[in-house]
Amino acid sequence: MKFFVDTADTKDIADLAASGLIDGVTTNPSLIAKSGRPFAEVIAEICALTPGPVSAEVVATDYDGMIKEGRKLAKIASNVTVKLPLTLDGLKACKTLTGDGTQVNVTLCFSANQALLAAKAGATFISPFIGRLDDIHLDGMELIHEIRQIYDNYLFDTEILAASIRTANHVKQCALAGADVMTAPPAVIKSLVNHPLTDKGLEIFLADAKKAGIKV
Ligand code: E4P
């Protein structure tokens, strides 16, 4: 499973990229706004930090506007993936932009039928939002299982990019469900390493080594 980091904070991205644990980056307009930096500048900087796909989202909602913005974003760097909302205009723009050879991430997916449409429109990635479904007391993970089955039934190439991941358990469940990619905030990715028995075990080993005067 590929790991993308869901942030526009370039310090966090540089830090995780150096660990070799991330394969790409996702952003959205809320994350760009939080960075407080100009859109094109921050996307260009992120693209230079990782060779992997970097999702940059359009803000237009009509087909012509999405095509114009998508082509502009795609020119920033060769690893820009244009992120489009799951609307009829978004799907039409997905068909056009992928036809140009641009990678497209169709975002804001909340149902299996929406994911089926995105695959038919040739999306490179589909982003089902797990956490936001859980927030309204639905089962976000069930959606990942449904999409996996549908894509496997018809051999669609579209990659399932599990998004809106909030916990380490979400990551594990996505891996078990066969998501191709998961995107999570830096803190969630870093938390995956934690286990109290690892900490305790290390403490004991180091104490025993000190007592015995072991040097390596
Ligand atoms: C993914 O592409 C989205 O940017 C993100 O995962 C949304 O997560 P949230 O629901 O925690 O805002």
Side-chain angles (χ1 to χ4, degrees):
M1 181 166 65
K2 284 177 263 186
F3 275 21
F4 290 176
V5 59
D6 195 34
T7 183
D9 184 320
T10 50
K11 278 200 197 87
D12 279 339
I13 296 167
D15 187 31
L16 277 164
S19 73
L21 287 174
I22 59 157
D23 306 292
V25 177
T26 50
T27 68
N28 61 39
S30 308
L31 293 170
I32 298 284
K34 199 170 152 199
S35 78
R37 299 180 52 195
F39 194 2
E41 180 188 295
V42 74
I43 293 296
E45 197 176 321
I46 295 171
C47 287
L49 289 170
T50 171
V54 174
S55 289
E57 189 163 343
V58 300
V59 290
T61 53
D62 64 301
Y63 171 80
D64 290 334
M66 285 192 235
I67 294 297
K68 199 169 153 212
E69 289 183 7
R71 288 188 173 142
K72 195 169 164 190
L73 290 171
K75 279 195 192 123
I76 295 177
S78 59
N79 54 335
V80 164
T81 293
V82 175
K83 208 172 177 191
L84 301 170
L86 213 157
T87 60
L88 279 179
D89 278 25
L91 294 172
K92 194 174 155 197
C94 173
K95 195 92 194 162
T96 304
L97 290 172
T98 52
D100 290 351
T102 299
Q103 293 213 321
V104 171
N105 174 1
V106 176
T107 190
L108 292 168
C109 170
F110 294 96
S111 79
N113 280 335
Q114 288 181 320
L116 179 56
L117 289 174
K120 288 180 72 64
T124 318
F125 301 102
I126 180 68
S127 287
F129 276 37
I130 297 170
R132 292 191 195 189
L133 281 169
D134 290 354
D135 288 346
I136 59 161
H137 309 293
L138 292 173
D139 185 353
M141 209 53 65
E142 190 186 346
L143 178 58
I144 303 295
H145 285 279
E146 287 175 351
I147 301 172
R148 179 74 284 153
Q149 187 175 333
I150 291 168
Y151 283 10
D152 288 350
N153 284 350
Y154 298 100
L155 305 177
F156 284 120
D157 290 333
T158 302
E159 292 189 49
I160 302 173
L161 196 177
S164 189
I165 284 187
R166 310 269 173 76
T167 65
N169 192 44
H170 275 159
V171 178
K172 181 179 83 174
Q173 295 301 331
C174 282
L176 289 169
D180 301 288
V181 192
M182 75 89 200
T183 189
V188 172
I189 295 178
K190 287 180 186 165
S191 78
L192 300 179
V193 79
N194 296 336
H195 198 289
L197 290 180
T198 303
D199 298 341
K200 181 133 187 68
L202 186 59
E203 200 183 302
I204 294 167
F205 287 156
L206 292 180
D208 288 344
K210 197 172 172 191
K211 239 186 279 163
I214 295 172
K215 289 203 165 57
V216 181

